[in-house]
Amino acid sequence: MVNETQHTCSVSSSSKSDGGSSSGSESSKDSSRCSTPVLDADRHERLREKMRRRQDSGDKWFSLEFFPPRTANAAVNLISRFDRMGAGGPLFIDVTWHPAGDPGSDKETSSMIIANTAVNYCGLETILHMTCCNQTKDDITGHLQKAKRLGLKNIMALRGDPVGEEWEEEIDGFNYAVDLVKHIRNEFDDYFDICVAGYPKGHPEAESYEADLRYLKEKVFAGADFIITQLFFRSETFLKFMKDCQAIGITCPIIPGIFPIQGYHSLRQLVKLSKLEVPQEIKDVIEPIKDNDAAIRNYGVEQAVSVCRELLDSGMVHGLHFYTLNREVATTEVLKRLGLWTEDPRRPLPWAVSAHPKRRVEDVRPIFWASRPKSYIYRTQEWDDFPNGRWGNSSSPAFGELKDYYLFYLKSKSPREELLKMWGEELTGEESVFEVFTCYITGEPNKNGHKVTCMPWNDDPLATETNLLKEQLEKVNRRGILTINSQPNINGKPSTDPIVGWGPSGGYVFQKAYLEFFTSSEIVTALLKVLKKYELRVNYHIVNVKGQNITNAPDLQPNAVTWGIFPGREIIQPTVVDPVSFLSWKDEAFALWIEQWAKLYEEESPSRMIIQYIHDNYYLVNLVDNDFPLDNCLWQVVDDTFELLN
Amino acid sequence: MVNETQHTCSVSSSSKSDGGSSSGSESSKDSSRCSTPVLDADRHERLREKMRRRQDSGDKWFSLEFFPPRTANAAVNLISRFDRMGAGGPLFIDVTWHPAGDPGSDKETSSMIIANTAVNYCGLETILHMTCCNQTKDDITGHLQKAKRLGLKNIMALRGDPVGEEWEEEIDGFNYAVDLVKHIRNEFDDYFDICVAGYPKGHPEAESYEADLRYLKEKVFAGADFIITQLFFRSETFLKFMKDCQAIGITCPIIPGIFPIQGYHSLRQLVKLSKLEVPQEIKDVIEPIKDNDAAIRNYGVEQAVSVCRELLDSGMVHGLHFYTLNREVATTEVLKRLGLWTEDPRRPLPWAVSAHPKRRVEDVRPIFWASRPKSYIYRTQEWDDFPNGRWGNSSSPAFGELKDYYLFYLKSKSPREELLKMWGEELTGEESVFEVFTCYITGEPNKNGHKVTCMPWNDDPLATETNLLKEQLEKVNRRGILTINSQPNINGKPSTDPIVGWGPSGGYVFQKAYLEFFTSSEIVTALLKVLKKYELRVNYHIVNVKGQNITNAPDLQPNAVTWGIFPGREIIQPTVVDPVSFLSWKDEAFALWIEQWAKLYEEESPSRMIIQYIHDNYYLVNLVDNDFPLDNCLWQVVDDTFELLN
């Protein structure tokens, strides 16, 4: 968002507020209403509505700007950063448009694909930047159609930097951001929320500060919903700009762009690009410490915090937009000191939701992908409808095949060398595999002194909730019940419980105990004998890689294993054990042995053959204890099985 | 099913068994499955499948035959009898076809309408008899189409008695029951289950017993699914007949028709019609006591029990069909002595289900019609889809207007005089109305010594469950909170609980406390002040007859107030408080003041004006306490309201 010319005019704040209440109204047969319980109003609102609601409620907010990375590895890192910084609760993030980087392509480093990942896989409300200069109408329409298809709902409409020395207006072409705004409204009606850029010091190419304000007004009147400003160094600069905008009738939200100084060189470069002048008082501090990165960063944090405080204290500012430069530390620090970083452990649903509009109603998923939500989203991306209320209603939608283990949002964050250290440079038998599983559960280092912080089925350390089961899990993994997913039973804890809670406050959450593991056919034979005693209480599915499947589930019905009861709402049952999708999960779960683990080793090597043997011969088992108010009986089932084997 | 000629041939048992399990089968992506949790397999099976399942499981069953009544009042009584005898658990009932009584018409006494009521309003699996003799193909097709439209799924195909002295076969006409069987299969494919009549002694008009057996085989081969026999007096008669049928290749179920002798004259008349001979040993007993009705009935019960025992002990008989002659006592007594009368207090859902095939998936209803299920079914009879899983999914279907208070399945079982005795010959003020409500709750007689056993909103005495709340209900009704519906909160009782349980065993049921009442605007004003204190805990809807509506329900969402958790299934939430349908219920609830109560009195009479005043000025209020694990706070809300008023 650096260096851009634009035109202006006057403003219509088109914020539309929805979700009427019938309070005091007359009886009406055709009152409209949501077809799904609104657990999380955010999922059903447009960005401009969210801003409006935050402004009305007085809750201050922030947003984060990123640029697309240059390499695939950097993309993997950026996605992890989205997950980490997303946890702080930004209202949205935005991804800049790099005309030189093939921004609309399917490359994993393109602006389009990074924004797609943020929305679909990280569940972040996202604005995709788009520039129009030097592009044909068809190109632009194509980009916008693709963005819409991918579930992007917000565009930052920019002119972009002209290519070549002498820039001339093209007749009927896209010469200014306002042309792009008009084009989006003409072609896509009200589908997108549109953001435009504001220049607190005036655009460097504008005739005057006043002319630039008129250009901004023109952009807003053409259909922009809100404004994000270029960076500035003093709060007075922004506040004056804001008053000047209001004076000429611009009433839409204007969000200050905050730039925490993070280094001497990045500052100089940015200033050069944006043709801004650094105020003398800042130069005076920075020049003497220009070789001390830490000192500059500390100063940058202090300076940004103080500007932000002044803005918020003015009462005119409701949200702050941060130019992160794809870095985490300084921005997070500023946000924490401002008290805006709200790492809310509460979740709208027990799993991470996607922000794609067609998934807005989604409120049920099979438990199997609990640790691989990105894979689940990937394998269901072609679905037109998502289960809403109950799983059974969606009949049996086909899951996409998972062959693209190389895709950056599906691949392990850890490089091969690190995985080998965790999972063993050389395996000596099935027991070495048991050992890896056990170390992952306990958090103890393996015999080579390395902690096992991820597994092929779970790229993250153990969930807090799973810690509740740690002792038992350790015991069974040591003996070859290789657990990959589990949850304890919960009989009505408050929805605000820091570990197992989810959904709005005032509710109660419940779970049936669940245990999923790989194990040998010898153990399965004993297990099946034991399960006869638990026939009425425990539901099981046992399947091998060939799909031989043993179950006592009635009529292929799904079993709800997580549900919540909330004030004034229907029951929410976000997690089910579904016999049909278990067979799709089975393919993925078995393939991960080979794709993620066996392939670390040379072909024909003993280590690889051990994993291959497990893949070919073990069973994948899941167990549900239906009697959630009683003590979890699944550990007893496993104990009985080991006893039978002895 | 008396006196009928027919032809025969050989047999194909077309029982199809559904509901596959994937146990042991290969993985399959397009496995079919139910779109709704199967709580009650009966609701999803055809009659022939139910018979097959009972035969396989060894559970003996019974069925009941009724004839259409002659008067509208008798129809009201017959419907109550359906409800009472339905409680004993018949596999089906059947309704005979009376050619002289305009059997296919819309009259409330027609065979068609009685069968319709049994299916739709009483939830009974029903066979409609149909005769074909002296009728055109078009007439018959018309009857069958109407039966299908009304949700009838089973036809007993009969010839019927020819009209006139000399009967001759018509070419291309319907001369025999087999013609009707063929016609049904030709025109309606496999839609109907078809039953035909068997004659253990041979049809009186048949050339011989053997010829009659061949006719029967012909009927079965033409597509009949099972056989019900004419009455007989000795078990040997039936068992011989059954063996003879099997010997010639009839393998479908053959159900013995049992006739408990209930009186001397009815026996003589039946014997004359059916051209049967009463065995000498029975005559010997009966003749001496022919004027002693009680003695004959006692003998009839003894005799029927002994025949039934012999049949069941033979191992060849799985179900017994009773010719009830529309009487209750003798048949019920026989069934109880046989141990077949299984008044199972367990319910598949908390409300009475309808047996119409399009309502098979229905598993959610608004709580408002809890005491008026027939009205609910009537007002939703035009719906094409029924809420399955959650109420929200059905958007806001329009409820039919309820203007037909005269319809026999909607009208009170008690005559006007009795209602006046219960509800007061003369009302002296609102307090006399409070008194009526209070007496209904307490079961104490009113000041004129009459018990109040029904109310306009509830034609039956108080539900057992409501008794849990009796003390509090009495207190509030006395003071003008006129309750018409309520339920206590339940935090996870076993689904087999005799009072609040429902659904399959092994589950847990839950409820939020609910209270619905009429009350004055003065009390509403105080209540609204009190409710402010309970804003986060209690949801309310308050509406007057004009539709002025005050609520704190978020976004018009339904609130689940009854739900159940069962092994291996999704969550079932059969009852909701739905803000939209509450406004349809409001119209009905207010209208009942006038239609059922005010109209008992002369126009312009003081009593009528008192009810009219309440109708015009009171509010209908419902309250839900969302905090189901805590003590019900609704009584505290009401106490606080009274306190505020003092």
Side-chain angles (χ1 to χ4, degrees), chain B residues 209-251:
Chain B
Y209 177 75
E210 290 69 28
D212 197 50
L213 278 184
R214 285 195 302 276
Y215 297 151
L216 180 59
K217 186 168 170 181
E218 198 182 306
K219 287 196 288 190
V220 173
F221 262 59
D225 296 297
F226 49 92
I227 297 162
I228 296 178
T229 77
Q230 179 60 290
L231 62 93
F232 53 88
F233 294 100
R234 292 177 181 137
S235 59
E236 311 87 89
T237 310
F238 177 81
L239 295 172
K240 175 185 183 304
F241 171 72
M242 189 152 178
K243 279 176 204 146
D244 294 337
C245 286
Q246 289 171 346
I248 63 164
I250 297 177
T251 60

Side-chain angles (χ1 to χ4, degrees), chain A residues 391-397 578 580, chain B residues 33-35:
Chain A
W391 182 259
N393 279 346
S394 74
S395 315
S396 32
D578 170 54
V580 179
Chain B
R33 57 170 156 182
C34 270
S35 70

Side-chain angles (χ1 to χ4, degrees), chain A residues 347-622:
Chain A
R347 309 163 286 175
L349 285 167
W351 33 262
V353 300
S354 165
H356 195 296
K358 75 177 177 177
R359 300 186 91 114
R360 266 205 288 245
V361 300
E362 181 180 24
D363 65 4
V364 195
R365 288 185 187 174
I367 195 170
F368 318 121
W369 283 270
S371 300
R372 289 179 59 77
K374 291 186 171 79
S375 162
Y376 181 77
I377 290 165
Y378 179 77
R379 296 189 66 182
T380 59
Q381 63 186 336
E382 300 301 329
W383 291 8
D384 291 324
D385 295 307
F386 288 88
N388 168 15
R390 64 173 48 189
W391 182 259
N393 279 346
S394 74
S395 315
S396 32
F399 285 83
E401 295 291 329
L402 186 63
K403 301 233 179 270
D404 311 311
Y405 296 91
Y406 59 87
L407 286 176
F408 70 102
Y409 40 75
L410 296 178
K411 153 163 119 169
S412 175
K413 291 190 285 271
S414 314
R416 179 171 178 274
E417 312 74 58
E418 220 170 290
L419 295 177
L420 279 170
K421 280 184 194 152
M422 290 195 265
W423 302 344
E425 306 274 355
E426 227 179 292
L427 303 175
T428 53
E430 291 166 72
E431 286 69 23
S432 359
V433 174
F434 301 176
E435 177 70 19
V436 175
F437 275 84
T438 309
C439 290
Y440 176 68
I441 297 292
T442 59
E444 301 291 320
N446 63 19
K447 60 184 173 218
N448 298 318
H450 293 283
K451 287 202 177 190
V452 181
T453 57
C454 67
M455 290 295 285
W457 304 270
N458 194 344
D459 205 34
D460 292 305
L462 221 53
T464 333
E465 189 196 26
T466 317
N467 272 312
L468 300 174
L469 308 171
K470 207 158 167 172
E471 205 175 309
Q472 290 100 328
L473 287 170
E474 177 186 348
K475 202 172 76 179
V476 305
N477 276 282
R478 238 179 245 298
R479 300 192 59 179
I481 297 245
L482 306 176
T483 59
I484 60 170
N485 196 357
S486 56
Q487 69 175 23
N489 59 320
I490 304 288
N491 186 14
K493 287 224 180 176
S495 58
T496 46
D497 183 275
I499 297 178
V500 297
W502 54 273
S505 59
Y508 294 91
V509 299
F510 294 79
Q511 289 180 183
K512 292 179 179 176
Y514 179 75
L515 190 61
E516 182 180 339
F517 52 86
F518 289 100
T519 201
S520 66
S521 64
E522 188 198 2
I523 291 182
V524 163
T525 307
L527 177 65
L528 277 168
K529 282 193 194 124
V530 169
L531 281 170
K532 284 209 172 65
K533 278 200 307 183
Y534 295 87
E535 188 65 27
L536 293 171
R537 180 162 175 183
V538 175
N539 279 115
Y540 57 86
H541 299 87
I542 301 176
V543 67
N544 67 4
V545 73
K546 297 180 210 97
Q548 278 160 345
N549 185 25
I550 310 162
T551 176
N552 66 345
D555 309 318
L556 293 181
Q557 286 191 57
N559 190 353
V561 292
T562 301
W563 63 99
I565 317 295
F566 300 97
R569 289 181 169 84
E570 293 192 84
I571 315 297
I572 314 296
Q573 48 161 33
T575 323
V576 295
V577 168
D578 170 54
V580 179
S581 41
F582 183 58
L583 299 179
S584 297
W585 164 246
K586 174 268 296 178
D587 294 338
E588 181 169 335
F590 275 102
L592 287 165
W593 281 109
I594 304 298
E595 296 295 330
Q596 306 264 27
W597 198 336
K599 289 189 176 171
L600 295 176
Y601 309 109
E602 295 291 314
E603 274 187 65
E604 315 266 330
S605 66
S607 295
R608 185 148 175 176
M609 283 161 69
I610 287 162
I611 300 295
Q612 185 75 48
Y613 175 82
I614 288 176
H615 170 269
D616 296 346
N617 293 283
Y618 273 38
Y619 282 79
L620 181 60
V621 177
N622 76 50

Side-chain angles (χ1 to χ4, degrees), chain B residues 45-276:
Chain B
E45 283 177 336
R46 309 177 62 128
L47 180 50
R48 63 195 187 199
E49 290 160 2
K50 291 183 197 180
M51 277 186 203
R52 165 68 52 111
R53 194 158 53 85
R54 292 291 195 100
Q55 182 169 336
D56 291 349
S57 69
D59 289 338
K60 306 302 181 204
W61 54 266
F62 69 94
S63 52
L64 303 169
E65 183 164 316
F66 299 93
F67 56 79
R70 261 172 301 179
T71 67
N73 270 345
V76 173
N77 289 335
L78 183 61
I79 299 311
S80 317
R81 185 162 299 126
F82 285 173
D83 286 338
R84 286 192 304 272
M85 295 190 83
L91 190 68
F92 64 87
I93 69 153
D94 58 333
V95 178
T96 60
W97 187 256
H98 276 205
D102 204 356
S105 76
D106 286 337
K107 285 200 298 199
E108 54 203 4
T109 54
S110 80
S111 302
M112 186 72 83
I113 294 304
I114 293 293
N116 165 54
T117 306
V119 167
N120 287 293
Y121 295 95
C122 305
L124 296 168
E125 181 81 55
T126 301
I127 302 179
L128 176 62
H129 289 221
M130 206 171 276
T131 61
C132 59
C133 175
N134 298 115
Q135 293 202 71
T136 68
K137 218 171 236 187
D138 283 354
D139 282 346
I140 287 172
T141 303
H143 292 326
L144 289 163
Q145 278 167 343
K146 183 167 181 175
K148 184 176 172 183
R149 208 164 53 237
L150 293 176
L152 293 160
K153 297 169 294 181
N154 313 294
I155 300 291
M156 173 108 182
L158 300 165
R159 190 195 74 184
D161 300 317
V163 178
E165 300 279 295
E166 286 292 302
W167 175 67
E168 278 177 37
E169 288 195 19
E170 291 178 55
I171 298 181
D172 286 339
F174 289 98
N175 298 304
Y176 302 101
V178 70
D179 300 326
L180 180 52
V181 174
K182 285 177 184 165
H183 178 72
I184 297 173
R185 284 285 172 253
N186 281 341
E187 299 286 316
F188 295 88
D189 199 24
D190 203 35
Y191 178 79
F192 290 105
D193 278 19
I194 302 176
C195 176
V196 291
Y199 297 82
K201 287 278 197 184
H203 192 278
E205 292 172 25
E207 301 144 44
S208 67
Y209 177 75
E210 290 69 28
D212 197 50
L213 278 184
R214 285 195 302 276
Y215 297 151
L216 180 59
K217 186 168 170 181
E218 198 182 306
K219 287 196 288 190
V220 173
F221 262 59
D225 296 297
F226 49 92
I227 297 162
I228 296 178
T229 77
Q230 179 60 290
L231 62 93
F232 53 88
F233 294 100
R234 292 177 181 137
S235 59
E236 311 87 89
T237 310
F238 177 81
L239 295 172
K240 175 185 183 304
F241 171 72
M242 189 152 178
K243 279 176 204 146
D244 294 337
C245 286
Q246 289 171 346
I248 63 164
I250 297 177
T251 60
C252 70
I254 304 175
I255 305 140
I258 308 299
F259 174 70
I261 297 168
Q262 305 196 46
Y264 185 74
H265 292 287
S266 63
L267 175 63
R268 272 179 58 127
Q269 202 186 354
L270 199 79
V271 162
K272 190 179 146 204
L273 275 167
S274 58
K275 296 177 182 149
L276 287 175

